Amino acid sequence: MEGSKLESCFLPYWEANEVQCKDQLNDPRNWNMIPSLNSVALHDVVDQQLVRFTGMIQDMQNPEMYLEQYEVQDSITKQTTVKMGKYRDIPACGPDEVFIDDSRSNVHRERQVLCCISIPALNPWVKQLLATGTDRHTEVKPLQHENKRAYSDESASSNKALSSSISPPGTSVKRVCCDKKHVPRNVRCDTELHLPLPESQAKTCLVKVYDSDPALALNDMIEVVGFLSVDPRLCLISEEMEDEGAQFHNLPGSLVPRLHAVSVRKLKHNNPLLELNFCSSADEVLGLARLVRQDLHLVLSQVLLGDHLAANYFICHLISSVFQRSELLALGQLSLNISNVVCGHGYTEKLYTVLRQLVTKSHYQPLTIENLNKCTFTPKKDYDANRLVSGILQLSTQTHLVLDETCLEPGQLDSNGVHNVAALGTLISQQKVDYDFQFYKLEFKADVPVLVLSEGKSLLPNDVAVPLEPDSKCLETWNEIFEAVNHYLQEPVLQRLRKYLTAVRLLEYCLPQDLEQVIQDDFVRLRRETDTKTSASDLHLLLVLSRLVSLSQGEGTLSRESWDLACSMEKQRKQRINGRVHQP
Amino acid sequence: MLPDYKQREVTAKDSLDVYIEHRLLMEQRLHQPGEQRDPRNKYPPELMRRFEIYFKDLSLNKPIPVRDVKAEHIGKLVTVRGIVTRCTEVKPMMVVATYTCDQCGAETYQPVNSLTFMPLAMCPSEDCRVNKAGGRLYLQTRGSKFIKFQELRIQEHSDAVPVGNIPRSLTVLCRGETTRQALPGDHVSVSGIFLPLLRTGFRQIAQGLLSETFMDAHRVVHLNKTEVDEAPAADLTPEEVQQLTHEDFYGLLASSLAPEIYGHEDVKKALLLLLVGGVDRRPQGMKIRGNINICLMGDPGVAKSQLLSYIDRLAARSQYTTGRGSSGVGLTAAVMKDPLTGEMMLEGGALVLADQGICCIDEFDKMADSDRTAIHEVMEQQTISIAKAGIMTSLNARVSILAAANPAFGRYNPRRTVEQNIQLPAALLSRFDLLWLIQDRPDRDNDLRLAQHITYVHQHCKQPPATVQALDMRVMRRYIALCKKQEPVIPEELTDYIVDSYVEMRKEARNGKDMTFTSARNLLAILRLSTALARLRLSEQVEKEDVKEAIRLTEMSKDSLNHAEDRHGRAQNVMDRIYSVIRELAGESKTVKMADVLERCASKGYTPDQVEECLEEYEELNVWLINQARTKITFV
């Protein structure tokens, strides 16, 4: 019963029952009842309604100074009242009330302004699931449209102020609609500048955070619950301001809705199949880990033309994530270069479509000379408009980036192209991106697994290079193989794989004491055997690989078998590379 | 009103001076004792004032980060530092608007305090009011007072931005003499009063709950690069210095360099000295550089580049390039034609830009020929002379060069000289104070320690505590800045010692089959290293220990070159060394167990094949006997 209140909760009601409402928010069921801006059209929600938004922090603006408390005077009765300014953009002045500028009871406070965009590179299946997950809201909506008055009356009955302070929902909607005419034409592309990847359905949202939490960082995935502010009067201010820089901040609410955050939480993953902190379902997923891994291995080895070693590496790559950093080192990543991809046109795209069905976020970037020269990879600060213009490499954690080098042809890279290649290089080797602030560069950490597909040796660095050794039979029939795989990847199988990939990646991992000795001895032996060709970085790689091997089996601690498996995988791979060097 | 006839030249006055003079005359003339005057006609003080007042922040008050300027600072004088990202043109801003009436001719004044004002329309003077003439007021540009006005935007420095945040910025309004102090890209320190921006009229209502803020500048100081760099040095608290000057601080500092890279203690020590640098000397106009140049050589994949990039990050001022730097400017400097004006202009390369800093040059061996000739001069004279396209000049390039070079034949070949290996002329190589060959040799103990180190990192997600706690980069930076202020001297009594050591080194070099060379430059190198060591101790004087350590480092660097022999000088050498290992193992006794031999040799990094070969060779020479089961060696 209480949940339904949050579902269409308005600011005055919240202010009256703040403690109670906050309590209700803690229940995930209530949380999920709140309409989500990601799936609900903007005209279905109303100004000052409690809504939800899931997105990535794309830009942070200067904090805003606002009046937490202000005094108004009724010009007729001369009576003054103190009102609250929190969660509002526009003072709630009645027609006869006058805002007192220099009142002593005015309290200035700060709030942080975050520019959020819907999570970039989200794969279609996630979008679909999110949309159906919130279906109940969209079903309710048409009803609510007629009953809107009833709804607001219901909540207004507890608080009379509601009807006076906000205009009736119907009129507000109408006004938002006609605002579109006022919007300057270039605004549409303005909002697109915030998106790292061009996406038609992406939404941008200005989130105002009150109890500023320093832990929020750029490119974090967050979920916000807050009060929507789409008051058309905001648009009028923007027209007043000639200042270029101010224009974006004051874009009409119909394009960039404002959200006054009541609660912000960081997302560790965005797999809709799993709970946010999936303690309950984790065991169930992990118990099946070995079986699911076999399924995954089967699929991947087919897709990789019968190459089992490459499939093993691919699995490790899919679940890799950075777990530790120091100045020059990012541990835990496993960027993969699958070379010798020779089987012709369309293979890489098909491989990507399989990957896209498995992971939540991924982006396929064909590396052509034109792409490298023209696209912006690194975000850049635009001081004239005072915003961060996004680039392809501004991705949230665990967005799988697939770079297709097979479409690269000989040509000339211009300076932009050279910068882009260098940026890709630092991203792969150190998992960080230098954002261009014109006067200096600022380093931002990334956690983006990169897969490079190439014919020969890649021009980009990588942790692991696996030359593909296709089965001759598969080579002829790869088109049929993909059809078969796509046929096999039906809903229940896919769901298991998807759950598995996310759950396994977030598993806690530890390296037991007793294996330490084994590892050290093995390393010393390896160094002797290979005549010092084994270096410290090889040991790092082995440790990372063994971590991923044991995680992929659902084990939180390293076992002797996993270590040996990792070693033998590396050995096979090295043999394969050496074999290839000597062949020609 | 007519001026008096002047005998001499009048001092130039601007229109405002004339106006003030006239206004004062007017008032005197109109003023009759005892008359009731309209207070409105009294001139506003702003109009008559010919000075500006600005406040300076207390020198005790530290600049605060832009990020920390918050609501509580409203109305207070604060000092912030930042980089100017935008600045508007300087425009005149009205301070007092002066109007004249078209009916009665009376002047009316309106002081303006905000960014906007509402012009007056009706004449308020006595005449117009009484006569109901309805005189209209006209704004008089010449009679009004204007002040210079400029708007700046400053953004916080890159090191003040917390990880994962976007730099914040602040609007600064400058008036009068604080204008034109800075351009975009300048580092500035601004003292001013933090205020909310008041809007009037409609905007104020619409703006409602929000208020924009700005800083009313009182003092804008343009900081030059060194000031910006030095600024944090002062922040090193006595406690931190205390912590730094304990027992083995030299080793601690050295191991704090690139803690991810395991081992190479001596190389790191040398790099630490490079960061601190020796003392410049100028006896009778001759200039002897104090900067230390180091060249790291070594097989591919021994973390040379990582060391370089770490130093590049740590050094307050540095440039990182590769020998094959792609730009047309290259390392030194180039004369370029400006595409717009067609004028010739000089553009500095990496060495010029790194003046008074460190220039890290990766792939030194692949440098362009033109740069190679120029770098000779840089490395000894610390200048770059340009004579191109009618521009003849000499640019300062007081840099320490940290170079990394790959051997010409893929791997370092110890049977050839250094010049052959790196393919650089001896003249250039001798200019490096230290040449270091980093080699990757299998050694059981070292390997084991390395393995332990790495497994620890993976296991506990942090650097092992057993090794000394690495210092924070910022502390390092400040300590190095502190060290650089010292100017230690070499006392008289050490001269003999240094001379003796040098003579000794020369003698050794002549006798031994040294692949390197020992010249007078080595002596200078030792002096530089020892002064750098004294600086590191924050001492005024070089001590004998410093000289010893400097000599040790030089020896070690030479050793690293000569000892490369051990591994590669196969046939003869390896056999001999294995033999001596076995001999040593045997000691007094006549017999040695084969298992012991194999283990010992393995720990020294010899392969079982080599040991086997050695055993057979010496058996043939009848040095020892091996029993049938091959478990025991007996010396004959």
Side-chain angles (χ1 to χ4, degrees):
Chain A
M1 266 292 94
E2 282 176 335
S4 67
K5 272 182 193 159
L6 278 184
E7 193 182 342
S8 58
C9 167
F10 293 91
L11 184 51
Y13 174 75
W14 173 278
E15 278 176 346
N17 317 295
E18 189 160 356
V19 183
Q20 193 191 342
C21 287
K22 274 196 174 159
D23 243 22
Q24 286 181 18
L25 260 189
N26 287 333
D27 188 347
R29 265 177 311 160
N30 286 338
W31 179 287
N32 289 334
M33 289 299 277
I34 301 167
S36 161
L37 269 191
N38 300 75
S39 48
V40 173
L42 204 55
H43 54 76
D44 282 337
V45 282
V46 189
D47 193 35
Q48 295 198 336
Q49 188 180 353
L50 196 65
V51 290
R52 203 152 52 101
F53 183 74
T54 313
M56 182 186 92
I57 303 177
Q58 192 269 334
D59 193 0
M60 292 166 159
Q61 280 151 9
N62 277 336
E64 260 177 6
M65 210 71 85
Y66 73 102
L67 284 168
E68 192 182 42
Q69 223 180 54
Y70 60 93
E71 207 169 3
V72 289
Q73 191 178 37
D74 198 307
S75 51
I76 300 165
T77 58
K78 295 288 173 209
Q79 223 171 25
T80 60
T81 35
V82 173
K83 294 188 173 183
M84 305 300 285
K86 216 174 177 185
Y87 310 127
R88 280 194 177 86
D89 278 319
I90 288 180
C93 287
D96 301 322
E97 284 172 333
V98 174
F99 184 75
I100 306 175
D101 221 7
D102 43 3
S103 158
R104 280 183 183 277
S105 44
N106 285 357
V107 181
H108 281 276
R109 279 290 158 83
E110 270 188 337
R111 59 187 176 205
Q112 217 184 335
V113 185
L114 307 172
C115 173
C116 291
I117 54 171
S118 41
I119 299 171
L122 218 54
N123 280 330
W125 66 268
V126 183
K127 284 186 195 161
Q128 216 171 19
L129 267 175
L130 284 176
T132 51
T134 45
D135 236 352
R136 346 173 249 278
H137 298 296
T138 35
E139 273 165 32
V140 172
K141 277 302 155 193
L143 275 174
Q144 203 186 4
H145 234 19
E146 283 127 17
N147 294 356
K148 205 163 251 171
R149 184 98 34 181
Y151 259 101
S152 44
D153 281 353
E154 199 180 288
S155 48
S157 60
S158 61
N159 193 329
K160 273 270 161 150
L162 174 76
S163 43
S164 66
S165 63
I166 62 163
S167 41
T171 54
S172 143
V173 168
K174 216 192 283 166
R175 264 201 253 164
V176 171
C177 294
C178 29
D179 275 345
K180 278 183 181 152
K181 285 173 208 152
H182 295 290
V183 176
R185 214 167 265 154
N186 61 343
V187 163
R188 185 69 242 179
C189 46
D190 266 12
T191 53
E192 270 162 18
L193 283 175
H194 284 273
L195 306 176
L197 311 164
E199 268 173 277
S200 53
Q201 291 167 345
K203 284 184 178 165
T204 318
C205 179
L206 277 181
V207 176
K208 307 198 172 174
V209 184
Y210 285 82
D211 315 304
S212 91
D213 181 6
L216 287 178
L218 201 72
N219 302 350
D220 273 350
M221 287 186 287
I222 54 168
E223 191 168 17
V224 191
V225 164
F227 292 101
L228 186 69
S229 162
V230 283
D231 197 304
R233 275 179 287 173
L234 279 170
C235 175
L236 295 177
I237 312 171
S238 76
E239 275 170 24
E240 272 283 303
M241 307 235 187
E242 302 87 9
D243 189 9
E244 276 263 316
Q247 234 184 36
F248 174 74
H249 310 251
N250 297 294
L251 278 180
S254 51
L255 279 181
V256 183
R258 262 144 273 237
L259 211 58
H260 294 269
V262 172
S263 164
V264 180
R265 60 180 186 187
K266 268 187 174 183
L267 300 181
K268 260 199 274 176
H269 68 87
N270 68 328
N271 194 338
L273 295 169
L274 289 171
E275 303 265 314
L276 193 59
N277 27 20
F278 49 94
C279 302
S280 50
S281 54
D283 294 336
E284 172 205 337
V285 174
L286 295 176
L288 290 170
R290 275 173 189 273
L291 287 175
V292 181
R293 188 185 194 278
Q294 274 170 15
D295 283 351
L296 187 59
H297 186 92
L298 179 73
V299 170
L300 290 178
S301 59
Q302 286 305 306
V303 169
L304 292 167
L305 310 173
D307 190 335
H308 291 280
L309 182 67
N312 274 334
Y313 275 105
F314 207 110
I315 294 174
C316 290
H317 167 73
L318 285 182
I319 59 169
S320 67
S321 68
V322 176
F323 68 91
Q324 196 213 345
R325 280 170 195 282
S326 51
E327 290 293 340
L328 296 168
L329 210 64
L331 289 180
Q333 57 147 339
L334 191 79
S335 62
L336 187 62
N337 170 216
I338 294 183
S339 56
N340 198 25
V341 178
V342 283
C343 64
H345 197 65
Y347 172 74
T348 49
E349 279 94 340
K350 288 211 164 146
L351 186 61
Y352 175 68
T353 48
V354 172
L355 175 78
R356 196 167 65 172
Q357 290 185 30
L358 297 176
V359 296
T360 53
K361 290 173 287 177
S362 64
H363 176 62
Y364 171 76
Q365 182 70 35
L367 281 190
T368 57
I369 292 285
E370 199 193 347
N371 269 343
L372 280 173
N373 283 342
K374 294 234 174 92
C375 293
T376 38
F377 276 66
T378 50
K380 187 178 176 189
K381 178 90 180 183
D382 178 355
Y383 284 104
D384 291 331
N386 195 20
R387 70 165 149 232
L388 190 68
V389 178
S390 192
I392 294 172
L393 296 186
Q394 191 179 20
L395 298 170
S396 56
T397 56
Q398 290 305 324
T399 307
H400 288 261
L401 184 62
V402 180
L403 302 172
D404 185 0
E405 244 180 63
T406 56
C407 40
L408 195 63
E409 274 166 8
Q412 185 84 37
L413 279 186
D414 59 19
S415 67
N416 188 29
V418 173
H419 276 133
N420 285 340
V421 172
L424 280 174
T426 41
L427 172 71
I428 295 172
S429 56
Q430 295 175 37
Q431 287 294 337
K432 60 190 180 194
V433 182
D434 285 327
Y435 288 19
D436 186 1
F437 282 87
Q438 296 191 32
F439 300 98
Y440 47 76
K441 285 193 168 154
L442 219 55
E443 204 177 274
F444 284 88
K445 287 170 185 167
D447 185 3
V448 179
V450 184
L451 171 68
V452 183
L453 301 169
S454 62
E455 278 172 35
K457 194 173 166 287
S458 164
L459 85 153
L460 296 164
N462 54 270
D463 292 322
V464 178
V466 187
L468 205 61
E469 272 183 6
D471 201 84
S472 54
K473 256 186 273 163
C474 299
L475 209 50
E476 286 159 21
T477 58
W478 64 270
N479 268 318
E480 287 78 45
I481 288 176
F482 274 105
E483 267 168 41
V485 163
N486 282 332
H487 187 70
Y488 176 69
L489 288 177
Q490 292 304 320
E491 214 32 61
V493 181
L494 270 177
Q495 240 178 49
R496 253 188 306 160
L497 292 178
R498 288 163 184 169
K499 275 187 192 171
Y500 161 80
L501 283 175
T502 312
V504 152
R505 202 185 60 224
L506 295 168
L507 202 60
E508 290 285 321
Y509 171 79
C510 78
L511 213 161
Q513 288 277 315
D514 50 315
L515 265 180
E516 227 174 301
Q517 200 55 45
V518 178
I519 292 166
Q520 285 158 17
D521 290 344
D522 276 1
F523 176 66
V524 173
R525 188 175 46 78
L526 262 175
R527 256 176 84 81
R528 230 184 16 240
E529 279 171 8
T530 54
D531 186 28
T532 74
K533 288 229 180 76
T534 315
S535 67
S537 54
D538 286 307
L539 183 56
H540 278 302
L541 179 59
L542 269 177
L543 283 166
V544 169
L545 197 61
S546 58
R547 172 179 187 262
L548 296 174
V549 165
S550 60
L551 285 184
S552 75
Q553 279 157 348
E555 290 164 5
T557 43
L558 182 64
S559 64
R560 182 70 199 248
E561 293 82 62
S562 303
W563 168 252
D564 287 342
L565 184 59
C567 286
S568 77
M569 272 165 74
E570 268 298 278
K571 204 170 169 188
Q572 280 181 47
R573 187 177 71 88
K574 288 227 162 116
Q575 272 170 1
R576 197 182 271 195
I577 291 173
N578 288 335
R580 291 192 65 80
V581 172
H582 294 307
Q583 259 171 21
Chain B
M1 285 296 258
L2 279 174
D4 301 327
Y5 178 71
K6 295 273 179 4
Q7 292 290 334
R8 57 198 156 73
E9 255 181 280
V10 274
T11 44
K13 287 175 181 170
D14 65 10
S15 53
L16 203 64
D17 282 316
V18 177
Y19 263 88
I20 289 173
E21 203 173 293
H22 284 196
R23 280 166 185 150
L24 287 175
L25 278 174
M26 267 281 267
E27 186 159 298
Q28 264 168 15
R29 220 171 280 175
L30 290 175
H31 183 79
Q32 280 151 23
E35 190 200 0
Q36 198 71 33
R37 284 161 57 231
D38 184 0
R40 246 189 303 251
N41 257 351
K42 212 176 132 193
Y43 306 110
E46 292 95 337
L47 193 65
M48 313 304 280
R49 202 181 282 151
R50 291 294 278 159
F51 55 86
E52 292 169 12
I53 292 179
Y54 292 112
F55 291 97
K56 193 180 152 184
D57 205 1
L58 293 174
S59 54
L60 283 174
N61 285 2
K62 289 253 151 57
I64 58 171
V66 173
R67 197 162 283 271
D68 290 350
V69 180
K70 295 222 164 97
E72 73 235 32
H73 288 103
I74 284 182
K76 299 210 169 94
L77 187 72
V78 284
T79 306
V80 293
R81 274 180 191 224
I83 184 164
V84 180
T85 57
R86 279 181 97 185
C87 70
T88 59
E89 278 174 61
V90 178
K91 288 174 187 162
M93 188 173 74
M94 199 172 272
V95 180
V96 180
T98 305
Y99 305 88
T100 40
C101 177
D102 61 349
Q103 295 291 321
C104 63
E107 273 189 339
T108 309
Y109 310 100
Q110 180 192 21
V112 179
N113 288 318
S114 64
L115 290 179
T116 48
F117 72 102
M118 178 60 77
L120 300 176
M122 302 306 287
C123 181
S125 74
E126 191 83 352
D127 286 1
C128 286
R129 213 155 34 87
V130 172
N131 300 338
K132 294 219 165 43
R136 300 204 142 270
L137 288 179
Y138 287 92
L139 190 64
Q140 246 197 351
T141 325
R142 286 189 122 197
S144 305
K145 182 168 174 181
F146 292 91
I147 196 166
K148 286 182 280 184
F149 175 77
Q150 190 179 28
E151 193 179 318
L152 297 179
R153 236 183 136 67
I154 62 169
Q155 179 175 290
E156 56 189 343
H157 287 308
S158 54
D159 49 357
V161 186
V163 173
N165 273 275
I166 297 283
R168 296 228 173 124
S169 52
L170 189 70
T171 308
V172 179
L173 301 187
C174 302
R175 289 163 219 264
E177 293 309 302
T178 53
T179 55
R180 276 190 244 272
Q181 298 289 318
L183 289 171
D186 286 345
H187 293 263
V188 288
S189 151
V190 182
S191 309
I193 299 164
F194 190 57
L195 289 170
L197 191 61
L198 290 180
R199 299 238 185 239
T200 47
F202 173 68
R203 268 192 215 177
Q204 187 212 345
I205 301 161
Q207 187 187 20
L209 298 175
L210 269 188
S211 55
E212 282 176 72
T213 50
F214 71 98
M215 192 179 214
D216 192 25
H218 275 261
R219 192 156 182 262
V220 179
V221 185
H222 178 196
L223 306 170
N224 58 32
K225 180 77 176 143
T226 47
E227 271 174 291
V228 177
D229 292 341
E230 274 167 17
D235 295 341
L236 202 66
T237 56
E239 295 93 72
E240 279 174 312
V241 176
Q242 196 64 42
Q243 181 207 337
L244 281 168
T245 45
H246 80 291
E247 289 285 307
D248 186 31
F249 77 102
Y250 174 48
L252 170 68
L253 281 170
S255 58
S256 305
L257 286 179
E260 299 86 8
I261 299 165
Y262 181 77
H264 304 306
E265 281 85 8
D266 279 333
V267 180
K268 286 186 184 173
K269 280 178 181 170
L271 292 180
L272 178 66
L273 295 182
L274 172 123
L275 281 169
V276 173
V279 180
D280 281 316
R281 292 259 171 265
R282 277 173 227 272
Q284 284 98 48
M286 190 174 82
K287 197 179 156 198
I288 299 174
R289 76 180 151 95
N291 290 326
I292 297 168
N293 298 326
I294 294 179
C295 179
L296 302 177
M297 295 172 286
D299 304 336
V302 285
K304 292 189 301 286
S305 301
Q306 270 163 294
L307 276 174
L308 250 66
S309 61
Y310 186 88
I311 296 292
D312 175 52
R313 284 165 60 103
L314 179 60
R317 217 182 154 152
S318 71
Q319 287 288 321
Y320 184 98
T321 69
T322 60
R324 272 189 292 201
S326 52
S327 90
V329 182
L331 284 173
T332 53
V335 180
M336 311 280 262
K337 197 169 205 169
D338 191 309
L340 281 177
T341 59
E343 263 177 63
M344 291 296 190
M345 52 179 215
L346 215 50
E347 198 173 330
L351 287 168
V352 181
L353 293 178
D355 185 32
Q356 291 193 318
I358 292 167
C359 189
C360 300
I361 309 174
D362 208 349
E363 302 187 48
F364 192 67
D365 46 324
K366 296 177 187 64
M367 204 167 32
D369 279 336
S370 59
D371 284 335
R372 191 173 296 176
T373 46
I375 214 161
H376 282 254
E377 185 194 347
V378 175
M379 289 182 72
E380 215 53 69
Q381 270 70 47
Q382 307 263 289
T383 53
I384 290 175
S385 301
I386 303 277
K388 283 179 188 163
I391 297 180
M392 260 181 266
T393 182
S394 173
L395 302 169
N396 270 331
R398 293 156 289 183
V399 292
S400 293
I401 289 178
L402 174 60
N406 288 316
F409 316 109
R411 289 212 143 201
Y412 194 86
N413 187 343
R415 263 177 268 171
R416 300 184 191 234
T417 58
V418 183
E419 298 95 90
Q420 282 170 325
N421 264 310
I422 307 293
Q423 290 194 325
L424 285 176
L428 191 54
L429 283 179
S430 74
R431 284 173 158 84
F432 283 105
D433 297 296
L434 292 173
L435 287 164
W436 220 293
L437 177 64
I438 305 179
Q439 266 194 323
D440 191 18
R441 266 178 261 175
D443 176 334
R444 203 190 146 73
D445 296 343
N446 251 336
D447 291 354
L448 200 60
R449 260 184 285 143
L450 176 63
Q452 276 165 357
H453 179 91
I454 294 174
T455 32
Y456 189 93
V457 171
H458 281 257
Q459 203 168 4
H460 303 280
C461 293
K462 59 173 187 269
Q463 298 291 324
T467 58
V468 252
Q469 190 58 46
L471 288 171
D472 184 50
M473 227 184 200
R474 290 185 186 188
V475 178
M476 289 279 283
R477 229 175 258 154
R478 288 185 307 202
Y479 186 72
I480 288 166
L482 196 65
C483 290
K484 281 191 168 176
K485 286 185 186 151
Q486 292 292 330
E487 295 278 318
V489 290
I490 300 172
E492 197 82 18
E493 60 270 22
L494 273 182
T495 334
D496 284 343
Y497 177 73
I498 295 168
V499 169
D500 286 348
S501 323
Y502 175 62
V503 171
E504 192 64 26
M505 275 170 72
R506 288 281 283 188
K507 205 158 57 184
E508 263 176 40
R510 223 174 306 135
N511 299 339
K513 280 174 262 146
D514 199 346
M515 289 299 187
T516 59
F517 29 74
T518 307
S519 67
R521 283 210 164 107
N522 287 73
L523 178 58
L524 287 173
I526 290 172
L527 293 177
R528 276 192 275 274
L529 290 172
S530 39
T531 45
L533 278 160
R535 268 186 168 182
L536 205 59
R537 288 188 295 112
L538 298 176
S539 153
E540 297 279 305
Q541 226 175 35
V542 175
E543 277 169 23
K544 198 169 174 182
E545 287 304 308
D546 298 330
V547 183
K548 268 191 190 159
E549 172 65 16
I551 293 174
R552 190 189 69 83
L553 280 176
T554 334
E555 299 267 292
M556 289 307 286
S557 79
K558 276 182 193 280
D559 265 12
S560 74
L561 291 171
N562 294 330
H563 262 255
E565 209 126 355
D566 295 350
R567 189 160 56 99
H568 294 271
R570 289 282 143 83
Q572 203 60 36
N573 244 327
V574 170
M575 297 301 127
D576 287 349
R577 288 186 69 83
I578 294 176
Y579 173 74
S580 65
V581 167
I582 298 172
R583 191 77 245 193
E584 194 184 303
L585 193 68
E588 293 297 302
S589 67
K590 279 250 167 196
T591 56
V592 196
K593 275 196 191 136
M594 186 66 107
D596 292 348
V597 170
L598 284 175
E599 196 194 330
R600 173 65 69 92
C601 291
S603 78
K604 294 275 178 187
Y606 300 111
T607 62
D609 292 354
Q610 287 172 326
V611 179
E612 206 59 44
E613 212 177 313
C614 166
L615 289 176
E616 269 169 33
E617 201 174 304
Y618 280 82
E619 201 179 15
E620 272 173 29
L621 292 168
N622 267 337
V623 176
W624 58 45
L625 290 171
I626 302 171
N627 65 354
Q628 208 64 39
R630 295 190 78 81
T631 52
K632 206 187 266 179
I633 303 168
T634 318
F635 282 90
V636 177

